[in-house]
């Protein structure tokens, strides 16, 4: 019996919600008609006359007190709203509306269920502290000869900026050279080659070094800049691996014989690690994913968009094929769906630029050789390689589309309260513009906007304060203005009432009472 009563109440509630959603105009005209029918017993005309007489008897002091009180109240509301927003990151009026009024109208709010799992996130101690605008070497950068140059041949555009290539030149000099290069003639030639700005001069120097002996860094340069296909680059890197492994074994035996040999061993180690990483990149570009994973497994990388969004994709894969926003709004989110949404929330917190590229709302370009963590350059680098994976998982992009904008609106304020947030440095946008080509429109980190009710109360407070000041200075003039405003405001209603009275018979009310 109780279940039947509950079901009846739910149906009645749904009918009322439906009527308010689609038939609000009908309701409005019904209310107007009832007001007109009941104007005599409710004494509406007499009440309007009384109100009109009351307004005519008001003194300027009343308007001064009224506007002053309104200004004070709106100012207090504004102060309270701003304090609440600074502390909790949302508007109090908006939260009350969403939490209490929306359920009465049939809406479902899943934010609370999502936020309830926030305690499972990374603690503050696990946050990665980075220096201001630190630029990182892109671990998945493409090959200049086989990919970047090919793009230039086809489009006539330069995919890499001078700043980006200059950073790469500094990296090459840091990792591929050392103070003992003069002891090995081929390495001495390559030390000069890495400082060359002209690509052809670098390639010529690499060939010259190979004429002396098998030089690993010379093979690296040719694989990166001269090879026109990935297969050619992989062949050169395999030759570099053979030469680099021999140098590494020899320097390993001599590394404790002095600082000079330690520097040489450190250089040979860097060369060997670089070669293995680029061989993994070749395998990935040639479709041998398992082989690439096996090679990259030993390489540890810091927190990145790749880690965050891949974790979100893995959790979304379990629910995305059956996910429906309409069904989720009716029944709420399941545990697996909440985990997936929470993972997307964390990913969007870390880098909010990625979803637009994954959803193809913004066109992709070739990723740069260096990236800025949580910047537009990192988003491009991630989406360039992982968009295909998101497309391969059925419904994953749909789940991302349904949640990422709402997720960003839940990002806390101040930003430090989030799972993965630390304040963005001011130079973030400038660094991304230096890394990305001029023809690309750089995505600017979106700032959390003030809620509507704070802006509304601020405008209301300013407006009422101005009215209070004007009323205090010109009380009689403002009184005349207020009366004129009210008469103008009620003029359309009086016009409608006169038209209705002229159309309907005067005895309609008496006829309805008889019925």
């Amino acid at each position: 019996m109780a279940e039947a009563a509950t079901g009846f109440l739910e149906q009645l509630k749904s009918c009322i919600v439906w009527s308010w959603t689609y038939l609000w105009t009908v309701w409005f005209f019904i209310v107007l008609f009832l007001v007109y029918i009941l104007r005599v017993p409710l004494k509406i005309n007499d009440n309007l006359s009384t109100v009109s007489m009351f307004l005519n008897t008001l003194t300027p002091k009343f308007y001064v007190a009224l506007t002053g009180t309104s200004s004070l109240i709106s100012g207090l509301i504004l102060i309270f709203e701003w304090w609440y927003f600074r502390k909790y990151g949302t508007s109090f009026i908006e939260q009350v509306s969403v939490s209490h009024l929306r359920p009465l109208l049939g809406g479902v709010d899943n934010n609370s269920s999502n936020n309830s799992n926030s305690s499972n996130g990374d603690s503050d101690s696990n946050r990665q502290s980075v220096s201001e605008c630190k630029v990182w070497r892109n671990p998945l950068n493409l090959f200049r000869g086989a990919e970047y140059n090919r793009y230039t041949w086809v489009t006539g555009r330069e995919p890499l900026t001078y700043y980006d290539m200059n950073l790469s030149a500094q990296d090459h000099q840091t990792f591929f050279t050392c103070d003992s290069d003069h002891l090995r003639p081929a390495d001495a030639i390559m030390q000069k080659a890495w400082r060359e700005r002209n690509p052809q001069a670098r390639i010529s120097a690499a060939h010259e070094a190979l004429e002396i002996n098998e030089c690993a860094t010379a093979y690296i340069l040719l694989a990166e800049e001269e090879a026109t296909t990935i297969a050619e680059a992989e062949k050169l890197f395999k030759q570099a691996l053979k030469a680099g492994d021999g140098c590494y074994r020899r320097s390993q035996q001599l590394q404790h014989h002095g600082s000079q040999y330690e520097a040489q061993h450190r250089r040979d180690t860097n060369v060997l690690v670089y070669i293995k990483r680029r061989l993994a990149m070749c395998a990935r570009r040639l479709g041998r994913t398992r082989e690439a994973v096996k090679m990259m497994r030993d390489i540890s990388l810091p927190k990145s968009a790749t880690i965050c969004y891949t974790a979100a994709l893995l959790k979304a894969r379990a629910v995305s094929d059956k996910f429906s926003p309409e069904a989720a709004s009716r029944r709420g989110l399941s545990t697996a769906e909440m985990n997936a949404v929470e993972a997307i929330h964390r990913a969007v917190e870390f880098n909010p630029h990625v979803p637009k590229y994954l959803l193809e709302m913004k066109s992709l370009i070739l990723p740069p050789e260096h990236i800025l963590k949580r910047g537009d350059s990192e988003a491009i680098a991630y989406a360039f390689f992982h968009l295909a994976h998101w497309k391969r998982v059925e419904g994953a992009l749909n789940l991302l589309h349904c949640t990422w904008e709402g997720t960003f609106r839940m990002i806390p304020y101040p930003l430090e309260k989030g799972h993965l947030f630390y304040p963005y440095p001011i130079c973030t946008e400038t660094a991304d513009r230096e890394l990305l080509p001029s023809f690309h429109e750089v995505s600017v980190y979106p700032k959390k906007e003030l809620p509507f009710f704070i802006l509304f109360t601020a405008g209301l407070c300013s407006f009422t304060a101005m009215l209070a000041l004007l009323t205090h200075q010109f009380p009689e003039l403002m009184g005349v203005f207020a009366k004129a405003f009210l008469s103008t405001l009620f003029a359309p209603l009086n016009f409608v009432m006169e038209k209705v009275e002229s159309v309907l018979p005067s005895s309609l009310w008496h006829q309805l009472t008889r019925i």
Side-chain angles (χ1 to χ4, degrees):
M1 187 68 180
E3 294 180 358
T6 304
F8 174 75
L9 291 176
E10 290 294 331
Q11 291 180 358
L12 181 61
K13 180 181 176 181
S14 62
C15 292
I16 295 174
V17 171
W18 180 86
S19 64
W20 275 111
T21 305
Y22 299 100
L23 301 177
W24 63 271
T25 53
V26 177
W27 280 93
F28 177 74
F29 285 112
I30 289 176
V31 170
L32 285 182
F33 181 74
L34 289 176
V35 169
Y36 173 77
I37 294 299
L38 299 175
R39 72 186 187 283
V40 176
L42 294 177
K43 299 180 180 180
I44 294 178
N45 293 331
D46 296 340
N47 292 333
L48 289 176
S49 301
T50 304
V51 171
S52 179
M53 291 176 60
F54 172 75
L55 292 176
N56 291 329
T57 58
L58 293 177
T59 62
K61 293 182 180 179
F62 171 79
Y63 293 104
V64 174
L66 177 64
T67 53
T69 306
S70 302
S71 176
L72 176 62
I73 294 174
S74 59
L76 292 176
I77 294 174
L78 174 62
I79 293 172
F80 175 75
E81 278 280 294
W82 179 253
W83 169 82
Y84 196 88
F85 176 73
R86 293 288 297 177
K87 188 174 183 180
Y88 299 104
T90 185
S91 166
F92 175 77
I93 301 175
E94 183 178 349
Q95 186 180 30
V96 169
S97 302
V98 171
S99 302
H100 300 285
L101 298 181
R102 186 179 176 187
L104 295 176
L105 297 177
V108 177
D109 184 18
N110 295 321
N111 294 352
S112 58
S113 61
N114 293 338
N115 292 335
S116 63
N117 294 333
S118 60
S119 59
N120 298 328
D122 298 339
S123 61
D124 293 340
S125 60
N126 293 332
R127 291 185 186 177
Q128 181 187 2
S129 59
V130 296
S131 60
E132 197 170 72
C133 285
K134 182 178 180 179
V135 176
W136 300 73
R137 179 80 179 178
N138 184 4
L140 299 177
N141 64 299
L142 304 178
F143 299 91
R144 288 191 184 179
E147 293 173 306
Y148 288 122
N149 287 347
R150 187 178 297 276
Y151 178 85
T152 304
W153 299 336
V154 174
T155 65
R157 293 177 171 180
E158 291 291 340
L160 299 176
T161 63
Y162 176 79
Y163 175 73
D164 192 16
M165 291 189 290
N166 187 50
L167 290 176
S168 296
Q170 295 176 15
D171 293 339
H172 295 155
Q173 294 175 42
T174 301
F175 294 116
F176 298 156
T177 63
C178 66
D179 295 336
S180 62
D181 281 343
H182 63 279
L183 299 178
R184 297 191 290 196
D187 290 334
I189 295 175
M190 289 307 301
Q191 188 177 48
K192 296 180 181 178
W194 293 122
R195 294 171 181 164
E196 283 285 348
R197 298 297 181 185
N198 191 320
Q200 292 301 324
R202 290 197 297 270
I203 293 173
S204 299
H207 283 292
E208 182 181 350
L210 288 176
E211 291 176 358
I212 298 176
N213 61 13
E214 296 289 307
C215 179
T217 55
Y219 282 122
I220 290 175
L221 193 148
L222 295 178
E224 292 284 356
E225 301 192 20
E226 188 182 43
T228 56
T229 64
I230 303 297
E232 291 179 13
E234 184 180 37
K235 182 179 179 180
L236 289 169
F237 273 121
K238 286 181 178 179
Q239 293 176 282
L241 179 63
K242 182 179 179 181
D245 189 57
C247 292
Y248 173 78
R249 294 179 185 278
R250 288 192 295 270
S251 63
Q252 188 179 28
Q253 298 173 356
L254 301 173
Q255 61 176 318
H256 300 298
H257 292 186
S259 58
Q260 178 177 331
Y261 293 102
E262 286 183 2
Q264 192 175 64
H265 177 67
R266 185 165 53 251
R267 189 274 309 275
D268 292 339
T269 302
N270 292 334
V271 169
L272 196 62
V273 170
Y274 183 87
I275 294 171
K276 290 181 178 180
R277 183 169 64 82
R278 298 306 275 170
L279 278 172
M281 186 66 182
C282 289
R284 176 171 184 170
R285 299 298 286 162
L286 293 173
R288 304 196 305 270
T289 307
R290 292 184 180 274
E291 181 181 344
V293 170
K294 185 177 179 180
M295 292 180 183
M296 296 288 284
R297 188 168 291 165
D298 298 332
I299 299 175
S300 60
L301 296 173
K303 179 76 74 174
S304 63
T306 301
I307 295 174
C308 295
Y309 277 90
T310 302
L313 177 60
L314 292 175
K315 292 186 177 181
R317 183 173 60 178
V319 297
S320 59
D321 57 337
K322 300 178 181 178
F323 178 78
S324 171
E326 294 80 9
S329 63
R330 289 195 304 269
R331 57 173 170 76
L333 294 176
S334 63
T335 303
E337 289 173 338
M338 284 192 291
N339 291 336
V341 173
E342 176 70 13
I344 292 176
H345 175 82
R346 295 170 184 272
V348 174
E349 274 196 40
F350 188 84
N351 193 319
H353 307 295
V354 174
K356 284 191 175 182
Y357 292 106
L358 292 179
L359 297 173
E360 298 181 273
M361 301 168 64
K362 193 173 181 183
S363 58
L364 271 174
I365 61 172
L366 295 184
E369 292 184 336
H370 290 80
I371 58 175
L372 182 66
K373 285 296 180 69
R374 304 175 67 208
D376 190 33
S377 51
E378 185 193 31
I380 293 171
Y382 173 79
F384 183 86
F385 289 103
H386 296 85
L387 176 59
H389 301 306
W390 281 81
K391 287 185 174 181
R392 195 175 296 123
V393 177
E394 183 181 358
L397 290 176
N398 177 50
L399 179 60
L400 178 67
H401 175 73
C402 295
T403 56
W404 82 275
E405 289 183 315
T407 328
F408 182 72
R409 284 194 292 270
M410 292 189 296
I411 286 178
Y413 185 93
L415 302 180
E416 293 85 344
K417 291 185 177 181
H419 300 299
L420 302 170
F421 258 123
Y422 40 86
Y424 260 64
I426 301 175
C427 59
T428 301
E429 181 181 350
T430 305
D432 266 334
R433 293 189 187 279
E434 291 287 340
L435 289 173
L436 298 172
S438 58
F439 57 83
H440 173 73
E441 182 182 355
V442 176
S443 294
V444 181
Y445 184 79
K447 298 178 176 61
K448 190 176 181 68
E449 298 179 354
L450 290 175
F452 165 76
F453 287 104
I454 289 184
L455 300 176
F456 176 76
T457 51
L460 181 63
C461 179
S462 303
F463 179 71
T464 53
M466 182 185 66
L467 283 182
L469 179 62
L470 292 175
T471 306
H472 182 267
Q473 294 294 327
F474 313 101
E476 296 181 359
L477 180 61
M478 292 301 294
V480 174
F481 172 77
K483 294 176 183 178
F485 173 76
L486 291 174
S487 60
T488 304
L489 183 64
F490 286 105
L493 181 60
N494 294 332
F495 176 78
V496 172
M497 294 294 292
E498 291 176 0
K499 291 296 183 182
V500 171
E501 290 178 355
S502 63
V503 173
L504 296 178
S506 58
S507 60
L508 179 61
W509 168 250
H510 299 287
Q511 295 175 5
L512 289 176
T513 54
R514 291 175 184 176
I515 296 174

